[in-house]
Amino acid sequence: MKKIRICLPPVFFALTLFCFSASLAAAAEWDVRSDIMRLRSEVPSLEAFDGAEGVIWRSFYEYDLMPDGTTRKKRQLLMLLAESASPELSTYIIPFPDGEGANLTIDSAAWYDAQTGALRGDLSSNMMDEEGIRYMSISIPDGAKRHVVAIGYTATSPMRYYLDDVLTLSGSLPIWEQNVSVEIPAGMDVYWEGIGVRTPTRERDSGGVEKIKWTLLNQPAWQDDGIVAEKAPTLLFSLQRGLTTHLKNLSMTEALFKAPQIPSSIASSGNNLLKAGSAILSYMRDRRLVVNGNSPKLIRNARYITGEGSWTSWEQTLIAGKWLQSLGFDVKVFWSQKLPVGASGASSSVLWDEPILKIGQGSGKDDIYFTSGQRFDFGKLDPSLYGMPIYRFAEGNIERFSLPKGSASEHQLQQMWRLNLSETGEVEGTLDLHITGGWVDVFDLAPTLRLEDVASLLEKKIVFSMPGLSLVGKSMKPTSSGYRFVFDLRAQLGIVSGTDILVKLPGGVPNALGQIPANGEGFAFKFPFILEQNAVVTTPAGYRTFMLPGKNQEGNTNATLESSVVHWPKRRRAETDFKWTVRNTSIDDFFAKTILEQARAALNWSRTSIPLRK
């Protein structure tokens, strides 16, 4: 926990608050054109950001206390979108602050010429109320792309002395310049926690107002789709510290929550936990979450919460817990954090991310965990939860523990290639791809995935060293903890020279391996795993091999690598096998060198060729 404390004698507090009020009234309007003219020569061209769909020129947050203790948040954003930007980036959502008397004002919503700063057009904004959740929706037209979009707003909350927030300081777009400032009167404390955030600067004006400012420059785009355990740059600040108060409040919220009537189709499950849980999971998958699945972390007024949905993610999990309790099962509600904070660290109600159900099976069996958006069968740990620390307040104490990461066999990426090789070097056949456990998260697989979209997804997630590869989805089957896909394929694996064919081994490695640090320093994997690339290739008649790689096995109990290539000319059959097993997720500096070498071996496997001669 980091703490900033500014102290003046109590006699000066009233005077300080008065001066603080005056400083707020004198706050300047946002000069959008001035910022554009300043940044146009600083920010590199969009093409310099390696295929990004846009770039945020300036991201600005300012928080302060009003004279009566209520809070104000100002937000300013300058961004330039590429013409090819995805439709999701064409809508900007601003949540409406909570509480009676809260207010949201749009200060700027327009687009400007990126070179001259001239106003080109206004953006349309609409206040929405979707089943009790209010937000402002700002639409960015296609004509605004390749121009600078300016969005600014002021949100005020009636909650007194609750100056806090959790900010994720990176996202799908790179951010050139980013500032977060908090203004408080002297004599107050600000506590903060951060990931990838440096110590802030501090300035005090003549009125005794202290400004705490965090600055980040040239922040790359962030996607949590790797296998290395990393957190996006995140900042939490608050006037409060300690987890107890907020966990108590969450415990009370959970206890007072009234779930709708349990459906008869679920109630009939009786005392069979797996049957009841599976029925609830199936029932909830058919009901959407409010705000198109991006529900805020809240519980709405009871009149909006029905047995038919829709629900927020918090409501969905708590409903599942209440229904299971009504059937007599032992259910405890834990909570995950948006960033790791210790028991005495900075704390806030917005620190808590999702409720997690811990469901006891009894008879010495392992507990079951459940959360909103569960992708695997009931009883299987969702990939978003592997290794996650969770918390709850019970019997006067904070209870904390980390969820299991599972064994390597629970997290498999298996490729099975069955191919027919022609004398021209072309191959036809199938790819059987099995993805389980944490790899499901890496590949961003969801129950809404369509078979026709899988091939294009794989091309983004896997590097196939196979010229002319064409994949056509044949089948897709969810398993208890993942997915199995089958593809028809064509590719040019062989280079022909006379009667010789130099054949590349079929396979591909996930882009996620590129996340492994190349400097040999220690790190941690999100989960243990197995990566397999196997193939059975029918070769043309009359061909034999020479100079085969042979069989190889290396490593230790923490990580092993096995590979082999064999060919039976009379049977016209070649078999290739590659298997990398990583059992330990904590990688120290010594072990990191071994992991890096094995990762390179995995990458080079599909670059290996075998010679065939007639």
Side-chain angles (χ1 to χ4, degrees):
M1 176 198 65
K2 294 83 177 177
K3 173 183 174 181
I4 300 169
R5 183 174 176 84
I6 310 100
C7 295
L8 284 179
V11 69
F12 292 109
F13 188 75
L15 177 61
T16 301
L17 198 54
F18 172 79
C19 296
F20 183 54
S21 166
S23 74
L24 295 179
E29 295 294 327
W30 183 19
D31 187 347
V32 176
R33 186 176 186 276
S34 176
D35 274 334
I36 292 175
M37 299 305 288
R38 174 178 63 87
L39 290 167
R40 69 174 186 176
S41 59
E42 296 181 14
V43 184
S45 67
L46 186 58
E47 288 70 25
F49 289 94
D50 193 23
E53 294 184 289
V55 58
I56 295 175
W57 282 20
R58 178 175 184 262
S59 174
F60 173 84
Y61 298 87
E62 183 181 79
Y63 298 80
D64 47 34
L65 287 173
M66 305 297 282
D68 61 354
T70 57
T71 59
R72 180 175 69 171
K73 169 185 175 181
K74 294 184 71 70
R75 175 81 168 109
Q76 296 171 359
L77 183 74
L78 290 178
M79 65 179 173
L80 185 146
L81 296 180
E83 292 180 1
S84 59
S86 58
E88 291 80 8
L89 293 173
S90 296
T91 302
Y92 188 82
I93 300 297
I94 306 171
F96 199 89
D98 294 335
E100 185 177 349
N103 188 50
L104 176 64
T105 303
I106 301 300
D107 302 321
S108 179
W111 48 290
Y112 298 78
D113 187 279
Q115 295 302 314
T116 67
L119 177 66
R120 293 303 186 197
D122 293 323
L123 304 176
S124 63
S125 58
N126 296 286
M127 181 62 75
M128 312 293 289
D129 190 328
E130 187 171 355
E131 301 182 48
I133 295 179
R134 291 191 295 169
Y135 60 94
M136 186 72 74
S137 176
I138 297 179
S139 299
I140 303 172
D142 289 341
K145 294 177 178 178
R146 302 294 304 194
H147 292 74
V148 177
V149 170
I151 296 174
Y153 66 88
T154 301
T156 57
S157 170
M159 299 183 68
R160 292 168 56 83
Y161 301 107
Y162 269 83
L163 190 66
D164 58 3
D165 209 347
V166 175
L167 301 174
T168 301
L169 301 178
S170 61
S172 61
L173 300 181
I175 306 173
W176 180 254
E177 176 184 282
Q178 192 162 197
N179 293 297
V180 180
S181 69
V182 177
E183 295 186 3
I184 57 172
M188 300 191 73
D189 297 337
V190 170
Y191 305 95
W192 68 278
E193 306 282 344
I195 299 173
V197 180
R198 294 182 178 179
T199 301
T201 60
R202 301 189 296 271
E203 298 177 358
R204 183 186 295 180
D205 66 17
S206 58
V209 176
E210 189 83 8
K211 176 181 278 191
I212 301 105
K213 184 179 179 180
W214 293 266
T215 300
L216 284 84
L217 299 175
N218 195 15
Q219 178 64 45
W222 171 269
Q223 287 184 314
D224 187 20
D225 59 355
I227 58 173
V228 173
E230 292 183 336
K231 289 283 188 180
T234 307
L235 173 66
L236 160 66
F237 63 87
S238 177
L239 302 181
Q240 306 170 65
R241 65 176 176 178
L243 304 184
T244 300
T245 298
H246 295 294
L247 279 173
K248 276 184 178 179
N249 292 339
L250 290 171
S251 178
M252 185 178 298
T253 297
E254 177 255 323
L256 296 176
F257 180 77
K258 302 297 183 184
Q261 181 72 28
I262 184 171
S264 58
S265 58
I266 299 173
S268 63
S269 303
N271 60 357
N272 186 320
L273 175 58
L274 291 180
K275 183 178 179 181
S278 298
I280 290 174
L281 181 58
S282 177
Y283 182 87
M284 289 187 162
R285 279 177 176 168
D286 293 335
R287 274 78 182 165
R288 72 182 183 91
L289 299 179
V290 294
V291 196
N292 300 319
N294 297 314
S295 59
K297 315 299 183 183
L298 56 78
I299 297 172
R300 298 167 296 162
N301 187 290
R303 71 176 182 270
Y304 294 107
I305 305 174
T306 69
E308 292 296 319
S310 302
W311 307 297
T312 69
S313 60
W314 282 23
E315 291 165 358
Q316 187 185 65
T317 301
L318 295 181
I319 288 170
K322 294 291 186 179
W323 284 352
L324 287 170
Q325 284 177 333
S326 72
L327 296 175
F329 299 112
D330 176 29
V331 179
K332 295 180 176 65
V333 180
F334 285 75
W335 298 83
S336 63
Q337 297 178 331
K338 294 178 182 176
L339 78 164
V341 175
S344 60
S347 187
S348 164
S349 59
V350 294
L351 167 65
W352 304 100
D353 194 26
E354 292 287 346
I356 314 294
L357 302 183
K358 178 184 178 184
I359 309 154
Q361 294 196 77
S363 303
K365 296 181 180 179
D366 291 338
D367 295 323
I368 290 174
Y369 298 92
F370 177 92
T371 190
S372 175
Q374 178 96 8
R375 283 168 287 182
F376 293 169
D377 287 356
F378 185 82
K380 299 288 185 179
L381 192 63
D382 189 80
S384 65
L385 301 181
Y386 289 118
M388 177 179 290
I390 57 176
Y391 304 75
R392 78 172 185 137
F393 185 82
E395 299 178 357
N397 296 300
I398 295 175
E399 185 178 344
R400 176 201 182 277
F401 68 95
S402 294
L403 295 176
K405 292 185 177 182
S407 64
S409 61
E410 296 176 64
H411 310 274
Q412 299 195 48
L413 178 58
Q414 298 175 315
Q415 303 170 40
M416 182 66 216
W417 304 81
R418 295 180 176 86
L419 306 174
N420 292 307
L421 174 69
S422 71
E423 293 190 358
T424 63
E426 293 181 307
V427 292
E428 292 184 352
T430 62
L431 166 62
D432 189 327
L433 182 65
H434 194 198
I435 302 174
T436 69
W439 289 107
V440 171
D441 237 16
V442 173
F443 281 77
D444 196 23
L445 304 178
T448 55
L449 184 67
R450 302 181 305 172
L451 178 60
E452 54 266 32
D453 298 329
V454 175
S456 60
L457 174 64
L458 291 184
E459 290 172 359
K460 297 176 183 177
K461 298 289 186 177
I462 296 180
V463 178
F464 293 108
S465 299
M466 300 172 65
L469 177 64
S470 172
L471 293 173
V472 178
K474 186 176 181 181
S475 67
M476 176 177 70
K477 180 183 179 182
T479 64
S480 62
S481 59
Y483 294 85
R484 184 180 293 277
F485 305 98
V486 178
F487 302 90
D488 289 325
L489 70 92
R490 297 173 61 93
Q492 182 72 38
L493 277 191
I495 300 175
V496 179
S497 176
T499 58
D500 294 344
I501 309 175
L502 188 63
V503 184
K504 297 188 70 173
L505 299 185
V509 294
N511 288 326
L513 294 189
Q515 194 187 18
I516 296 174
N519 57 11
E521 295 182 356
F523 64 96
F525 284 118
K526 291 180 180 177
F527 49 84
F529 62 85
I530 293 175
L531 175 63
E532 281 193 84
Q533 302 179 72
N534 304 315
V536 175
V537 182
T538 300
T539 56
Y543 281 81
R544 59 182 177 84
T545 58
F546 56 96
M547 295 176 61
L548 289 178
K551 191 172 184 178
N552 180 53
Q553 183 170 346
E554 59 186 69
N556 51 40
T557 56
N558 292 321
T560 56
L561 191 149
E562 305 165 74
S563 63
S564 68
V565 179
V566 295
H567 182 236
W568 296 276
K570 292 183 179 180
R571 296 167 55 187
R572 298 174 50 200
R573 181 184 177 95
E575 292 185 3
T576 70
D577 297 286
F578 179 93
K579 184 177 182 179
W580 183 27
T581 303
V582 176
R583 301 177 183 86
N584 192 342
T585 58
S586 297
I587 314 299
D588 59 24
D589 290 353
F590 178 78
F591 189 24
K593 297 176 182 178
T594 299
I595 290 294
L596 187 59
E597 291 174 358
Q598 293 181 351
R600 288 171 176 161
L603 180 62
N604 290 330
W605 177 254
S606 57
R607 296 174 179 172
T608 304
S609 298
I610 57 174
L612 294 178
R613 176 168 294 170
K614 193 169 186 178

